[in-house]
Amino acid sequence: MNPRILGIIGGLALVVALLSPFMMGSSKKVEQLYNSAEDLYGQADYEGAIAKYTEALEESTKRGVKTEVIDKDFNTLANYTIGVC
């Protein structure tokens, strides 16, 4: 193959590898956000809890995030808790 084409392919692979952590979500981060929201809810800081639940919901929609550890239907649980707050 042409060295120029190999350079372009290598450059694209490098860019994808560097950007993948930003495109992929973290299950641990969702769990930490959810637990922090639960703590705020327990302290009656409902506005802070809603913000954390919302942030956890946004993070849970990213690729690679598994929320089954928290609940099988995490979206419903988080939205219900936001409604209760």
Side-chain angles (χ1 to χ4, degrees), residues 45-82:
D45 181 6
Y46 301 119
E47 291 177 7
I50 289 172
K52 292 289 183 181
Y53 284 126
T54 305
E55 193 175 346
L57 275 172
E58 290 172 3
E59 185 71 23
S60 72
T61 59
K62 293 183 178 178
R63 292 180 49 191
V65 175
K66 295 184 176 162
T67 57
E68 290 84 22
V69 174
I70 299 169
D71 192 74
K72 288 183 179 181
D73 193 7
F74 176 74
N75 288 338
T76 303
L77 174 67
N79 285 320
Y80 171 77
T81 314
I82 289 172

Side-chain angles (χ1 to χ4, degrees), residues 3-67:
R4 186 175 184 187
I5 293 174
L6 288 175
I8 292 172
I9 291 172
L12 289 174
L14 179 64
V15 167
V16 168
L18 291 175
L19 292 179
S20 66
F22 297 109
M23 294 178 346
M24 299 287 287
S26 168
S27 301
K28 205 59 155 164
K29 183 175 180 182
V30 172
E31 188 175 1
Q32 289 172 349
L33 287 168
Y34 182 79
N35 289 334
S36 138
E38 286 288 310
D39 291 341
L40 290 172
Y41 180 75
Q43 298 170 4
D45 181 6
Y46 301 119
E47 291 177 7
I50 289 172
K52 292 289 183 181
Y53 284 126
T54 305
E55 193 175 346
L57 275 172
E58 290 172 3
E59 185 71 23
S60 72
T61 59
K62 293 183 178 178
R63 292 180 49 191
V65 175
K66 295 184 176 162
T67 57

